Amino acid sequence: MLTLTAVAFFAGHASAGDVTGKITLKGTPAPEKDIPMDPACGALHPGKKPTTRFYVADASGGLADCVVYLEGAKGGSAADKPVVIDQKGCEYLPYINSAQVKQTIRVLNSDPVMHNVHPTPSADGNKEQNKAQLPKGAPLEFTFEKPEKFLRFKCDVHPWMFSYVSIFDHSSHTVSGKDGTFKITGVPDGKYKLVVEHRKGGKVEKEIEVKGGAKADFTIEAK
Ligand SMILES: [Cu+2]
């Protein structure tokens, strides 16, 4: 009986799989800071005090909002769906995103207030733009031509509003979820450098070998 691997070999197809793992926060970061929202935005958070979102970890230490990618990966699947960022309660959701070059980044306004969406890229070839968006206004769309880490979106009306989108020229990237886990799908067999970057906690990396998949866990130290 042929194993699946043997079938793939005889069919002449290289094998591929998912790269998965979990990122755990070590140590205790400084407490998040209260955001002094204006009354119109503050009213969208009844009974709550919005805070910064520098370190978002669950009870088990699983660290969200880490950008995870294969360094130097090539090509991969086309990014046919947009990355969607909402403005809700005068915050950008999600706070951390990843996208491919030329992939549509669609920014919504679910708020009853006006926002002004202002990406401020730093890589040559990525265009700074600045667009007002009416309350519950039509979506705005952005694309970027060059790879860039943590490309900042800000709102010129509300100086506390930020979102960061890391742009890649390949499809092997993702952002860790609420429980700190991640999954990069469809990675061809081979050796790679798997990199985890947290905007405040910095960068860690591991050499991995994908053979129909791979698993690697990481720790980020609070700074
Ligand atoms: Cu705003």
Side-chain angles (χ1 to χ4, degrees):
M1 197 181 108
L2 290 175
T3 63
L4 279 177
T5 312
V7 169
F9 177 79
F10 284 115
H13 293 295
S15 179
D18 297 340
V19 175
T20 60
K22 179 172 177 169
I23 303 150
T24 303
L25 177 67
K26 190 178 165 196
T28 307
E32 302 289 340
K33 297 186 182 82
D34 289 344
I35 295 174
M37 288 192 177
D38 61 26
C41 290
L44 302 172
H45 299 266
K48 279 190 196 158
K49 273 192 175 173
T51 67
T52 53
R53 294 172 280 170
F54 294 151
Y55 288 91
V56 178
D58 72 5
S60 76
L63 184 61
D65 289 344
C66 297
V67 179
V68 186
Y69 59 94
L70 299 177
E71 191 165 282
K74 297 271 187 292
S77 57
D80 42 7
K81 284 190 196 146
V83 170
V84 178
I85 302 172
D86 196 6
Q87 296 167 105
K88 205 169 179 202
C90 301
E91 292 179 299
Y92 282 113
L93 305 171
Y95 180 54
I96 302 288
N97 302 274
S98 67
Q100 266 178 268
V101 291
K102 301 183 195 297
Q103 183 172 10
T104 300
I105 297 165
R106 181 173 294 155
V107 180
L108 314 179
N109 182 3
S110 296
D111 280 336
V113 302
M114 194 184 93
H115 292 295
N116 195 103
V117 184
H118 184 177
T120 60
S122 56
D124 276 354
N126 285 343
K127 237 175 55 193
E128 182 170 357
Q129 292 164 80
N130 195 342
K131 294 181 181 175
Q133 194 174 27
L134 293 171
K136 310 207 189 263
L140 297 172
E141 294 192 339
F142 302 86
T143 57
F144 297 93
E145 299 294 318
K146 301 290 178 198
E148 175 171 346
K149 300 280 164 49
F150 299 110
L151 192 166
R152 186 181 69 167
F153 280 61
K154 64 197 273 277
C155 172
D156 290 344
V157 183
H158 306 111
W160 61 83
M161 283 180 67
F162 299 104
S163 184
Y164 298 86
V165 186
S166 291
I167 313 282
F168 295 90
D169 56 3
H170 56 78
S171 63
S172 295
H173 59 82
T174 190
V175 175
S176 61
K178 285 197 170 100
D179 59 355
T181 62
F182 64 87
K183 176 154 90 170
I184 299 174
T185 57
V187 180
D189 283 0
K191 290 184 176 172
Y192 299 91
K193 187 186 279 181
L194 178 61
V195 184
V196 171
E197 267 189 88
H198 185 269
R199 207 176 73 81
K200 293 285 183 185
K203 182 171 166 179
V204 289
E205 54 193 43
K206 277 184 181 173
E207 304 291 337
I208 61 161
E209 180 160 16
V210 177
K211 277 186 182 172
K215 192 174 177 300
D217 295 329
F218 291 86
T219 302
I220 291 272
E221 288 193 35
K223 292 199 170 71

